[in-house]
Amino acid sequence: MKVALIIPTMDRGGAEKQLCLLAEYLPADQFDVHVILLTRDGPLTERLRAAGVSVTLIGKRFKVDPTALFRLRKVLKKLKPDVVHTWIFAANSFGRVAARSAGVKRIIASERCVDPWKTEAHFTIDRQLAKFTEAITTNSNGVVDFYASHGIPRRLFRVIPNGIEPRRPTNLDRAEVFERLNTDPSRKLILAVGRLWPQKRYRDLIWAAELLGTTREDISFVIIGDGPQRGELLRFRDSVTKPDRVRFAGSRDDVNALLPHADVFWIASEYEGQSNSVIEAMQAGVPVVASDIPGNRDLVVDGETGSLVPLGDTAAFARQTNVLLDEPKRRKEFGAAGIQRIATEFTIEAMVAHHAKLYRDEK
């Protein structure tokens, strides 16, 4: 079966990681997988090519680029896929229109996140395209509820939890981890991982670190990631707290090795689909303190693998973290429960098997 997966880029995002894993692990003796990048290339492309997956770049230059639609349609007509599976709004829009005009019989979309940024015009497009969409995959029941509330038929959605690769062994000890992060090894380490932009509400976490730091002097909060808010957040950090309390570590390729040495993981997002960074933290045995939103609720079991706190409640982030830092036994129990949850419910094998079944099942 020939499957075309269409996504805007191959950047280091959650949706991109899942598509990359899916393309790599779909059984090669059953599926001929082709990845089509609508807008631009990215760092994950080399992994796809190393796995023998064909990658085509369309090169959409601006939001409404009819030449990109023409080029995508041409690629699909030549490829003649049995199934087209589009991911994220731009690819969902251009990809589904191009697939239909190219005569593709089976068109599947994917919504990966609650998207409050969308206007009524976006939802109108989504509703029109849903009329010739066989199914819409997602990773969270919260995403289903969100889109159903905006008129997308609930019956179209298929919830497939994210999959994660087994942890790669690492020989890094705690002293080397703290040296890499330029942080005092005598302190407790709190990590957050993600793009620096408003959705992630890093201002809340910086405030929480300052509140926690007034209670105890032994914490370092390190933010791993980069993005358009970096300069603004650095200025905010410098205005409310001290650099040795809150550090920005930039984008890194060694997060897998760093995570097991964190004492607590933080995520304050105002909306998520299903955060890969939270999955990775739980897989590494790190208790998570998270904003109480639908995507995080799908992962963090309050009082078992971590704590859920009200969105925007910086004091609650500080309080719950303070309790965990004072109770190593509870941290260890939460970490072990997180490892077990990810190992049983969020495997690549399950994610790939669900997609393979969807591709095989005719309407």
Side-chain angles (χ1 to χ4, degrees):
M1 176 178 287
K2 193 176 288 187
V3 177
L5 305 176
I6 307 176
I7 195 166
T9 77
M10 268 288 105
D11 290 343
R12 295 184 189 278
E16 292 83 356
K17 286 182 182 177
Q18 290 302 303
L19 181 143
C20 191
L21 290 171
L22 177 62
E24 185 176 349
Y25 284 94
L26 275 169
D29 60 340
Q30 300 172 40
F31 296 94
D32 178 13
V33 182
H34 297 257
V35 172
I36 300 173
L37 306 181
L38 181 63
T39 305
R40 65 176 186 275
D41 213 332
L44 292 176
T45 302
E46 285 311 309
R47 174 169 177 169
L48 287 171
R49 292 197 170 112
V53 178
S54 166
V55 180
T56 302
L57 175 62
I58 299 300
K60 183 170 79 77
R61 293 168 294 177
F62 40 88
K63 282 189 178 179
V64 182
D65 184 353
T67 65
L69 184 64
F70 172 80
R71 291 194 298 276
L72 179 55
R73 177 178 179 271
K74 185 177 179 181
V75 167
L76 292 175
K77 284 183 73 70
K78 182 178 179 181
L79 189 60
K80 293 183 172 57
D82 300 290
V83 177
V84 162
H85 189 177
T86 65
W87 298 54
I88 313 179
F89 181 74
N92 281 341
S93 303
F94 277 74
R96 284 188 280 184
V97 171
R100 192 183 195 202
S101 65
V104 178
K105 288 186 167 54
R106 302 187 61 205
I107 302 172
I108 297 170
S110 189
E111 298 288 0
R112 312 303 298 177
C113 192
V114 171
D115 292 318
W117 56 268
K118 284 188 173 180
T119 65
E120 184 54 33
H122 293 102
F123 290 119
T124 298
I125 292 170
D126 288 338
R127 287 191 290 268
Q128 290 301 313
L129 295 175
K131 293 177 180 178
F132 56 85
T133 302
E134 178 179 319
I136 303 173
T137 63
T138 188
N139 49 15
S140 165
N141 289 301
V143 175
V144 179
D145 293 339
F146 175 80
Y147 277 96
S149 73
H150 288 281
I152 311 301
R154 189 179 289 271
R155 60 177 171 75
L156 289 178
F157 286 89
R158 308 289 185 273
V159 178
I160 302 176
N162 285 352
I164 185 170
E165 294 177 286
R167 275 192 57 77
R168 301 186 302 276
T170 174
N171 296 321
L172 280 188
D173 60 21
R174 189 174 175 87
E176 187 173 351
V177 165
F178 277 74
E179 183 178 350
R180 288 190 181 191
L181 295 175
N182 192 24
T183 303
D184 184 347
S186 68
R187 291 170 172 258
K188 303 293 187 185
L189 178 61
I190 303 167
L191 284 183
V193 180
R195 189 167 182 240
L196 306 185
W197 67 332
Q199 170 204 353
K200 302 295 185 180
R201 297 182 70 108
Y202 281 113
R203 280 174 169 255
D204 290 353
L205 296 182
I206 293 169
W207 265 120
E210 171 60 13
L211 290 172
L212 184 60
T214 60
T215 304
R216 56 193 306 152
E217 288 291 332
D218 66 340
I219 65 113
S220 289
F221 172 44
V222 178
I223 299 169
I224 297 175
D226 210 341
Q229 269 200 310
R230 181 179 176 83
E232 175 192 336
L233 290 171
L234 279 167
R235 291 189 295 273
F236 180 71
R237 185 273 310 271
D238 292 341
S239 71
V240 302
T241 189
K242 301 181 292 185
D244 65 342
R245 187 170 289 162
V246 178
R247 290 202 63 255
F248 288 79
S251 293
R252 304 185 64 95
D253 293 323
D254 58 354
V255 177
N256 174 75
L258 302 177
L259 274 172
H261 299 280
D263 296 285
V264 177
F265 186 90
W266 275 357
I267 181 169
S269 301
E270 63 182 72
Y271 59 93
E272 287 283 349
Q274 195 170 82
S275 168
N276 282 294
S277 64
V278 172
I279 293 175
E280 289 164 4
M282 291 172 64
Q283 186 191 45
V286 185
V288 178
V289 180
S291 51
D292 189 4
I293 59 171
N296 291 342
R297 280 183 225 128
D298 286 350
L299 296 172
V300 180
V301 181
D302 192 35
E304 292 184 22
T305 68
S307 298
L308 294 170
V309 301
L311 179 65
D313 192 337
T314 56
F317 263 96
R319 282 196 305 270
Q320 293 297 329
T321 303
N322 192 47
V323 169
L324 284 171
L325 294 179
D326 280 340
E327 298 186 18
K329 183 172 181 288
R330 181 183 290 192
R331 286 206 311 274
K332 187 174 181 180
E333 290 172 351
F334 281 9
I339 291 172
Q340 179 64 24
R341 178 164 168 75
I342 299 307
T344 56
E345 298 183 38
F346 298 90
T347 65
I348 290 178
E349 291 77 13
M351 182 270 287
V352 170
H354 284 304
H355 279 92
K357 183 176 186 302
L358 176 64
Y359 297 157
R360 290 192 197 98
D361 287 350
E362 295 281 352
K363 264 210 285 193

